[in-house]
Amino acid sequence: AQSVTQLDSQVPVFEEAPVELRCNYSSSVSVYLFWYVQYPNQGLQLLLKYLSGSTLVKGINGFEAEFNKSQTSFHLRKPSVHISDTAEYFCAVSARNSGNTPLVFGKGTRLSVIA
Amino acid sequence: DVKVTQSSRYLVKRTGEKVFLECVQDMDHENMFWYRQDPGLGLRLIYFSYDVKMKEKGDIPEGYSVSREKKERFSLILESASTNQTSMYLCASSLVRDRSSPNYGYTFGSGTRLTVV
């Protein structure tokens, strides 16, 4: 079984400052990793994913994440945030060894960008 | 683009009613999932299905059942709605044979916000 821990439930940050949202996972098998964003009153939108290859993954809206297998982490970063980045962010994993595996989510991190 | 459509955006039901939440996907995905989203708890898996008439319990199946009679449709059923089932419900789907491709992923519907009064 897999589990995901998002280490911060809320992250306030000033506009144009950098931000890092932390995600650690636990799994006995290899995993795929995902970050989703949910804007107020909207559904989930995929930000980026790690399937294989380069451990630094670039996504939409200037976000990137780095897969660190030894630390079982997949932290999300953005060098300069905008007001429009205010949203809830979810880290998720799925097992690589099965085609019929659900996503397991963390509890989310609420990013608030302050003008 | 793959679309996952949830039939209702908002729903208000009374305690004890039988409630059906419908989800339809249009790209022949084998897997379909129902999640429940609550503030501070993230998304929790209720049930999933990897084929027609097949279902697997997730982390919180109590009080829910599901039906998958056709590949494209996955229904979540609240047999007797209770106030603690007031929540946002999200449906998702994924394609098994995509797992080795860069396109692999899960597609989510827009969600149904259910209020039980």
Side-chain angles (χ1 to χ4, degrees), chain A:
Chain A
Q2 292 75 46
S3 67
V4 177
T5 302
Q6 291 185 242
L7 294 138
D8 305 293
S9 59
Q10 297 187 61
V11 173
V13 63
F14 286 107
E15 193 175 17
E16 296 183 8
V19 70
E20 178 179 81
L21 306 184
R22 297 180 294 166
C23 172
N24 286 96
Y25 69 92
S26 172
S27 177
S28 57
V29 300
S30 295
V31 294
Y32 296 124
L33 295 149
F34 303 81
W35 274 99
Y36 286 87
V37 60
Q38 186 177 40
Y39 298 105
N41 298 315
Q42 294 189 26
L44 289 178
Q45 181 180 1
L46 180 67
L47 264 181
L48 48 80
K49 60 186 176 185
Y50 173 77
L51 303 182
S52 65
S54 172
T55 57
L56 182 63
V57 180
K58 293 192 183 297
I60 62 171
N61 301 340
F63 283 93
E64 64 180 32
E66 185 152 22
F67 170 50
N68 188 319
K69 188 175 181 180
S70 62
Q71 297 192 1
T72 61
S73 67
F74 191 53
H75 301 332
L76 181 70
R77 301 186 183 99
K78 186 170 182 177
S80 175
V81 295
H82 304 291
I83 295 289
S84 58
D85 293 322
T86 294
E88 188 143 25
Y89 292 79
F90 294 96
C91 181
V93 303
S94 67
R96 185 185 285 265
N97 63 346
S98 168
N100 302 316
T101 179
L103 272 176
V104 176
F105 284 86
K107 293 184 177 181
T109 298
R110 186 169 296 276
L111 175 65
S112 298
V113 181
I114 305 159

Side-chain angles (χ1 to χ4, degrees), chain B residues 8 10-21 78 81-83 86 113-117:
Chain B
S8 304
Y10 298 94
L11 212 52
V12 180
K13 295 292 181 181
R14 295 198 179 278
T15 303
E17 276 193 77
K18 190 169 185 175
V19 181
F20 292 86
L21 303 184
L78 286 66
S82 65
T83 55
T86 291
R113 186 168 293 282
L114 173 67
T115 303
V116 183
V117 297

Side-chain angles (χ1 to χ4, degrees), chain B residues 78-115:
Chain B
L78 286 66
E79 296 289 343
S80 177
S82 65
T83 55
N84 62 13
Q85 293 177 309
T86 291
S87 187
M88 169 71 88
Y89 291 88
L90 289 160
C91 176
S93 70
S94 71
L95 184 62
V96 174
R97 60 181 178 270
D98 243 6
R99 286 183 71 79
S100 59
S101 93
N103 296 323
Y104 179 69
Y106 298 73
T107 304
F108 282 82
S110 299
T112 296
R113 186 168 293 282
L114 173 67
T115 303

